[in-house]
Amino acid sequence: IVAGVGPLAGLDLQQKIVSQTIAGRDQDHLTVLSVSRPYTIPDRTEYLLGQVAENPAYALAEQVRLLAQMGAQVIGIPCNTAHALPIWDVLLAEIAGCQVQLLHMITEAGRFLHEHYPDVQRVGILSTTGTYRAEVYPQVLAGVGFTAVTPPALMQESLIHPAIYHPEHGIKSCGRVTERARQDLLTGVAALQTQGAQAIILGCTE
């Protein structure tokens, strides 16, 4: 796991791996290698919005290579925004020749929807503004037959992104889902439903 993007997302992924592994004893579980070095990785949304110059792909690639050296065979990055093409394409180029399978989380989400929710046509997306503007989900979901539905730009900027990043009530800032963040995201869900969304993706990994 390339953890630290953010730290809560890495912990959440590891918990999901454990809870979804069929095991009757400690020894039946998968070996999980997790590296969390958040201070080395620039914020992905800030990069996509032009607020920082350094592409996070280089620091992400460093952690992928480190995990490969540790023996990892399959690697996931629990950060939706890291899968935006300006970051993802550079990351793939940086790890060329690295003998690991790097999962693409957005593609996996699309595959899961396609397999488990075949009657769904319109999928709502709540995400960071970086993921929103990069249109990461619309591009991937269109390839498997879904139409992505996103909030109006004003709602994205005034409610959804602050629910993630606001210094006083944002999920990343507070390390938990605050009541304010929850209510703002529920407002977003209701707006997406009025646009015909039949399923909702919470597209910020925390």
Side-chain angles (χ1 to χ4, degrees), residues 6-8 14 23 76 79 119 138 142 151 173 176-177 184 195-196 198 205:
L8 277 178
Q14 187 161 352
C79 172
D119 295 330
S173 306
R176 59 187 174 85
V177 180
D184 287 351
Q195 295 173 247
Q198 301 160 284
T205 323

Side-chain angles (χ1 to χ4, degrees), residues 6-185:
L8 277 178
L11 290 173
D12 182 64
L13 176 55
Q14 187 161 352
Q15 190 275 331
K16 284 181 167 66
I17 292 171
V18 172
S19 67
Q20 295 184 35
T21 298
I22 299 172
R25 56 179 186 158
D26 291 349
Q27 292 77 16
D28 295 335
H29 282 273
L30 297 169
T31 296
V32 178
L33 305 169
S34 178
V35 175
S36 182
R37 301 178 67 195
Y39 69 96
T40 68
I41 306 172
D43 187 272
R44 283 66 59 204
T45 290
E46 290 181 358
Y47 172 72
L48 292 175
L49 298 182
Q51 297 169 356
V52 297
E54 182 183 353
N55 193 326
Y58 298 108
L60 291 169
E62 184 179 348
Q63 284 196 204
V64 169
R65 289 191 292 265
L66 176 58
L67 287 163
Q69 291 169 9
M70 294 166 65
Q73 297 167 296
V74 178
I75 297 176
I77 305 174
C79 172
N80 285 265
T81 313
H83 294 75
L85 289 180
I87 300 173
W88 187 258
D89 285 351
V90 174
L91 170 60
L92 291 183
E94 284 292 302
I95 65 167
C98 194
Q99 299 301 308
V100 294
Q101 180 183 356
L102 183 61
L103 296 178
H104 189 285
M105 183 167 62
I106 317 303
T107 299
E108 293 298 321
R111 182 183 60 79
F112 182 87
L113 282 168
H114 184 71
E115 292 179 0
H116 295 275
Y117 297 94
D119 295 330
V120 167
Q121 295 178 325
R122 295 175 67 81
V123 181
I125 311 297
L126 295 177
S127 68
T128 68
T129 296
T131 296
Y132 178 92
R133 292 191 185 176
E135 298 186 341
V136 180
Y137 274 99
Q139 294 171 5
V140 171
L141 293 182
V144 285
F146 296 104
T147 298
V149 180
T150 57
L154 180 60
M155 176 175 284
Q156 173 66 31
E157 297 295 341
S158 63
L159 290 183
I160 307 307
H161 190 76
I164 300 164
Y165 274 100
H166 193 280
E168 295 178 1
H169 66 264
I171 295 168
K172 278 183 176 289
S173 306
C174 296
R176 59 187 174 85
V177 180
T178 64
E179 185 59 27
R180 169 70 182 275
R182 180 176 180 274
Q183 291 302 320
D184 287 351
L185 291 173

